Amino acid sequence: MLTAAALMAMIWGPVADAPMPSQPPEPLVAISLPAPGEASAGFWQVVIEQQLIIRVPARRSPINNFMAAPTPEMRLRQIPIEWKEKKAPKCVAMRDITGMQATERDSIDLITRQRQRLRAQLNRGCRALDFYAGFYMQGTKDGRLCEDRDEIHARTGAKCQIDKFRLMVPVPRDED
């Protein structure tokens, strides 16, 4: 106990005997703002940019059959479904798109939260196979993906604009 007190006295002793500095230390970084009335004063500008990228995952399809296998379902027999195209809105809310499938050569099917299927016809020269692993889309001010306005980006580097949306309606097919 006495040794600890002696050590503390040695540590604190010289500090108590040292003279106090008369001025505060210099700042590490000097910041000088021009006075409002100075003629040489320019202007200050702050630019804040924000970018939102949304990733849409791909689902298994005949074109990209090597994707992860679907979860097993307890169905005895699945009824074949045929899809019929109908008129669709020109824009889709980005937050409603949950997945996609590449089913045609020049179009991809977007799957929405409402369990709807929208066929996005890609512009000329774009192949659906480029989007086998899903796609990215850049967020817009209105939060919608619109035809003849927005682009989707493949992970391979391809960029394609959407020409038209078509609503896909399931129609049961009769087997003969």
Side-chain angles (χ1 to χ4, degrees), residues 59 104-105:
R59 295 190 180 174
E104 299 286 323
R105 279 186 64 120

Side-chain angles (χ1 to χ4, degrees), residues 58-130:
R59 295 190 180 174
R60 189 180 181 101
S61 75
I63 290 180
N64 62 355
N65 202 17
F66 53 88
M67 294 293 294
T71 57
E73 296 179 10
M74 299 297 293
R75 288 187 183 174
L76 296 175
R77 186 167 184 227
Q78 190 174 6
I79 300 171
I81 295 177
E82 190 172 308
W83 296 96
K84 183 178 179 183
E85 290 185 6
K86 293 209 170 188
K87 189 175 181 178
K90 293 185 182 285
C91 296
V92 179
M94 289 181 178
R95 70 175 182 271
D96 288 342
I97 300 171
T98 60
M100 60 83 54
Q101 266 187 326
T103 55
E104 299 286 323
R105 279 186 64 120
D106 59 349
S107 61
I108 58 174
D109 288 357
L110 304 177
I111 298 145
T112 66
R113 289 181 197 261
Q114 296 82 17
R115 301 211 182 261
Q116 289 182 327
R117 186 178 287 255
L118 292 167
R119 182 153 292 162
Q121 183 76 34
L122 303 175
N123 66 348
R124 190 173 185 162
C126 287
R127 301 175 320 161
L129 191 56
D130 292 338

Side-chain angles (χ1 to χ4, degrees), residues 20-80:
M20 293 293 288
S22 60
Q23 293 178 348
E26 292 291 321
L28 296 176
V29 178
I31 300 174
S32 62
L33 297 174
E38 288 184 22
S40 65
F43 62 92
W44 294 79
Q45 182 177 359
V46 176
V47 178
I48 299 172
E49 292 184 13
Q50 184 178 9
Q51 187 177 24
L52 176 67
I53 306 280
I54 301 165
R55 181 177 181 270
V56 179
R59 295 190 180 174
R60 189 180 181 101
S61 75
I63 290 180
N64 62 355
N65 202 17
F66 53 88
M67 294 293 294
T71 57
E73 296 179 10
M74 299 297 293
R75 288 187 183 174
L76 296 175
R77 186 167 184 227
Q78 190 174 6
I79 300 171

Side-chain angles (χ1 to χ4, degrees), residues 4-18:
L7 288 174
M8 295 248 209
M10 280 193 270
I11 293 172
W12 288 336
V15 173
D17 295 338

